Amino acid sequence: MPDYIPRVLSQLIAWFVNFASKLAVHGPTLGVTAAEITAAANDSTTVQHVINGQQIRQTDAQEFTRFRDQVLYGGESGEEPGAPAPGTITPALPDPIPFGIIPRTRDLAQRMKSHPLYTTAIGEDLGIEAPEALPVDAQPVLTLTVETGFVVRLGFPMRGFPMIEIQCKRPGDADFITIGFDSSEPYLDSRAPVVAGQPEVRQYRARYHDAGGPIGTWSDIVSATAQP
């Protein structure tokens, strides 16, 4: 069933920014207090922090993995690797840190919908009217970009789906192996090559998921040669 709150993490930021902004406009008409409007603004800031932060820390982990592999196995350039610095997460968290943001927001939305002055137009402006259902026959489209250090960057439009499963097949693999799940692009495959220092062909495919499991069909298989 379609949901008015996006299931894709990358879309939650825009949704909460809009909700907090429009709540300041429509909230007083629908019985929302000034404290609740302020809380919604803090919720929006917190959503931005935790989602941006997860992506930044994921990138930090991938960069540190590359650094680890350079330290352990060396690189073609022979240059001494530099330790990566962790990224800065913005905006800053409010104090105190809100929790249970989504269920609390749903409760507020339901309360507003029960108000006699609520209209569908107001709900659409707030973003609390459900969109059309997602297609069940969806097939992801993968794009690949080869970077240095045996990194392959995968791009994939999410099309409103909450998650995508990424599989890869490398030399020596009998079949495709799941290497990760992601909720937003890009995904960086920064694994060390099967044979240290040697280019290798990697084949990729992907499939959308939601809470109930896989959706639609596997993408077409695409290939790239990972390089030093």
Side-chain angles (χ1 to χ4, degrees):
M1 181 178 179
D3 191 358
Y4 57 85
I5 295 182
R7 295 176 294 176
V8 180
L9 289 178
S10 60
Q11 296 175 1
L12 275 177
I13 291 177
W15 190 92
F16 272 96
V17 167
N18 176 76
F19 180 76
S21 173
K22 298 302 175 63
L23 189 66
V25 176
H26 301 295
T29 302
L30 303 176
V32 179
T33 67
E36 288 173 320
I37 292 173
T38 298
N42 288 336
D43 287 347
S44 176
T45 298
T46 303
V47 167
Q48 294 176 64
H49 181 95
V50 297
I51 292 177
N52 289 338
Q54 188 272 334
Q55 293 174 337
I56 289 170
R57 291 295 176 255
Q58 183 180 41
T59 299
D60 289 345
Q62 292 171 340
E63 290 179 351
F64 202 90
T65 297
R66 294 175 62 183
F67 170 65
R68 178 204 65 191
D69 290 343
Q70 287 178 319
V71 169
L72 294 178
Y73 306 111
E76 293 297 317
S77 65
E79 296 180 359
E80 180 179 344
T88 301
I89 302 174
T90 58
L93 282 169
D95 185 18
I97 300 172
F99 62 93
I101 290 174
I102 289 179
R104 181 158 37 79
T105 300
R106 290 190 189 280
D107 290 343
L108 178 58
Q110 187 57 46
R111 202 180 86 209
M112 289 190 290
K113 288 182 175 183
S114 300
H115 195 280
L117 296 181
Y118 178 84
T119 65
T120 300
I122 289 176
E124 290 175 345
D125 202 31
L126 285 163
I128 58 175
E129 289 290 329
E132 296 181 1
L134 294 170
V136 296
D137 59 346
Q139 183 184 42
V141 176
L142 289 179
T143 58
L144 305 180
T145 303
V146 176
E147 301 183 356
T148 59
F150 296 100
V151 175
V152 178
R153 179 184 295 266
L154 286 76
F156 38 84
M158 291 301 297
R159 298 180 55 195
F161 292 97
M163 193 70 63
I164 192 169
E165 177 185 5
I166 300 166
Q167 292 193 341
C168 181
K169 184 178 181 182
R170 299 194 294 176
D173 291 338
D175 201 352
F176 281 88
I177 298 171
T178 298
I179 59 172
F181 288 83
D182 213 335
S183 58
S184 62
E185 58 180 344
Y187 179 87
L188 298 182
D189 181 4
S190 57
R191 294 172 295 167
V194 175
V195 179
Q198 295 300 310
E200 65 182 19
V201 176
R202 299 177 184 176
Q203 300 179 70
Y204 296 94
R205 67 179 185 178
R207 180 170 58 177
Y208 293 121
H209 279 247
D210 68 4
I215 300 174
T217 59
W218 287 104
S219 69
D220 292 336
I221 296 171
V222 291
S223 301
T225 301
Q227 303 280 352

